[in-house]
Amino acid sequence: MTVVFVRSPGASAPGLRRVRTRLHPREETAMHDHRKLGRELDLFDTDPLMGAGLPYWLPDGAAVRHALEEYVRGVERRAGYRHVYSPALGKRELYELSGHWSHYSEDMFPPMELGGEEVVLRPSLCPHHALIYRSRSHSYRELPLRIAELGGMYRAERSGVLGGLTRVRAIQLNDAHIFCTLDQAADEARAALELIGQAYTALGIRAVRHRLSLPGAGGKYVADPAMWERASALLAEVLDSAGITYEAVEGEAAFYGPKIDVQIVDGAGREATLSTVQIDFHQPERFDLHYIGPDGARHRPVMVHRSIIGSVERAVAHLIEVYGGAFPAWLAPVQVAVLPVSDAQLPQAEELVRDCLDLGLRAELAGPEHGTLGARVRGARLVPYQAVIGPEEAVDGRVALRLRDGRRPEPVPAAEALARIAARVDARATGLWEDPGQDRPTGRGSSAGS
Ligand SMILES: [Zn+2]
């Protein structure tokens, strides 16, 4: 594999740095272009009047995104994170304090004048979370304090590089900040790396490599050599203790600290950062954060920044390319297509759709007005479960299922079929039916931690 680094201008934000990687030819052809599929499958689009780099999500794309967001929030809740909301704007002074204004302003939107103040579309969530931490006093007993948010941030990308969901100006970031003691920082960073590995396994995403991103030459990095050395050593220790091989690369760090980048490759063979783990001594200083230690004195916490799936835009783009639109059932825009053979079975078909919706399943009716049964089956080829209702099924209340992978289980009572589908969706199973050997990830992915 040939790796050529393209040094990107400006400091780093999660999920936004690209390098080019040449892949094995078989791998290049196996993946899809999310921009092409996104339009063909009605997942997302853009409009010149909304502007370049500002895609909107159509209902099917929004359904995928919603399922992904709920998955991530669940993973985070179980791992002890608490979720917050904070505004996507802040006063210019906030970013002066965080250091973004002096180190990152070329990637930021220009400030807006508002009632004698200047407000800025935020370039990251960190300053808001630092303020949330600072708003209450904290005892060492509360640490580590894990604050998570799926929140909006903005990046003034040049118009020439914009495209699809991967180069956008409005970003929804799966972000979190862990405020902890110095002694806890390595464990927290390691746990975050494990969460990333678990999520990649569940989602079928394959990490092509891990990168330890260090500062490079020039003035875009905070000048504090001892701080950089300490944070870099901690991250290297985390990678080593997790048994993860990595490359150290200069010039890819965030302006305030080094980071572990988890790299993926898109359908065109381009490498990009999806997930990150960072250790930050800088912003706790800038925001004068503290906690009260067992000695009753004030101590400085460490900030661990981490993103499991990076930006929602990049994550969904990647999932589109990995699965070619044939998402695992739990992520699929439509999970059950209900196909009455003729108008005579419409009442039963409508009832089945209602039963699906009551179970929390995403279901659609494709009646005879949409064409022959064969045409409707082909039209629903990416839907994991097709429920065909013919005259016999309508009479005895059974459903003949066709699975997307071509299997046709024996017809079973409708309630039983739906319960089995709902159980697989709830478990986020990768296989479509209870059949050993079908439960491997349907994507080409594997664990990020390998
Ligand atoms: Zn952050």
Side-chain angles (χ1 to χ4, degrees), residues 189-199:
R190 196 177 300 113
L193 212 48
E194 277 169 22
L195 279 188
I196 293 168
Q198 286 166 22

Side-chain angles (χ1 to χ4, degrees), residues 176-194:
H177 297 92
I178 302 156
F179 300 87
C180 62
T181 69
L182 179 57
D183 288 345
Q184 294 166 337
D187 281 347
E188 288 301 314
R190 196 177 300 113
L193 212 48
E194 277 169 22

Side-chain angles (χ1 to χ4, degrees), residues 80 82 133 138 142-147 177-180 184:
R82 306 287 313 278
Y133 178 86
H138 299 284
E142 294 169 59
L143 307 186
L145 189 72
R146 307 179 186 95
I147 294 179
H177 297 92
I178 302 156
F179 300 87
C180 62
Q184 294 166 337

Side-chain angles (χ1 to χ4, degrees), residues 98 100 126-127 256 280-287 303 305:
S98 69
H100 284 85
C126 333
Y256 50 79
D280 179 10
F281 296 112
H282 173 72
Q283 292 189 64
E285 285 289 332
R286 298 284 295 187
F287 284 90
M303 253 172 108
H305 309 236

Side-chain angles (χ1 to χ4, degrees), residues 154-367:
Y154 296 84
R155 190 180 162 88
E157 293 268 16
R158 285 170 297 108
S159 55
V161 301
L162 298 170
L165 290 178
T166 48
R167 295 300 288 265
V168 293
R169 286 172 167 162
I171 296 157
Q172 290 293 316
L173 189 67
N174 158 234
D175 205 4
H177 297 92
I178 302 156
F179 300 87
C180 62
T181 69
L182 179 57
D183 288 345
Q184 294 166 337
D187 281 347
E188 288 301 314
R190 196 177 300 113
L193 212 48
E194 277 169 22
L195 279 188
I196 293 168
Q198 286 166 22
Y200 280 29
T201 301
L203 293 166
I205 295 175
R206 191 170 65 89
V208 291
R209 68 188 177 109
H210 289 72
R211 186 173 76 185
L212 177 58
S213 293
L214 303 171
K220 66 184 185 181
Y221 301 101
V222 169
D224 185 345
M227 180 276 286
W228 284 100
E229 210 163 288
R230 202 158 47 130
S232 304
L234 266 173
L235 288 179
E237 176 201 322
V238 165
L239 287 161
D240 288 338
S241 67
I244 293 172
T245 55
Y246 62 92
E247 296 170 56
V249 179
E250 290 186 357
E252 294 289 346
F255 75 82
Y256 50 79
K259 59 196 178 92
I260 296 170
D261 291 325
V262 186
Q263 304 294 103
I264 56 164
V265 169
D266 73 9
R270 286 183 298 258
E271 191 177 313
T273 300
L274 188 65
S275 316
T276 63
V277 180
Q278 314 173 21
I279 287 183
D280 179 10
F281 296 112
H282 173 72
Q283 292 189 64
E285 285 289 332
R286 298 284 295 187
F287 284 90
D288 191 25
L289 304 183
H290 68 272
Y291 65 91
I292 305 298
D295 56 358
R298 288 161 59 114
H299 298 270
R300 190 75 74 207
V302 178
M303 253 172 108
V304 177
H305 309 236
R306 56 101 280 212
S307 181
I308 298 177
I309 56 159
S311 79
V312 171
E313 288 80 10
R314 186 179 291 281
V316 171
H318 191 64
L319 291 171
I320 293 169
E321 298 193 342
V322 166
Y323 290 107
F327 296 102
W330 68 273
L331 276 171
V334 178
Q335 295 162 324
V336 183
V338 180
L339 311 172
V341 171
S342 74
D343 284 337
Q345 295 90 40
L346 265 178
Q348 288 85 0
E350 284 165 358
E351 192 184 333
L352 192 67
V353 169
R354 277 194 301 275
D355 291 345
C356 286
L357 299 176
D358 286 344
L359 284 168
L361 295 170
R362 296 183 287 274
E364 275 183 10
L365 177 67

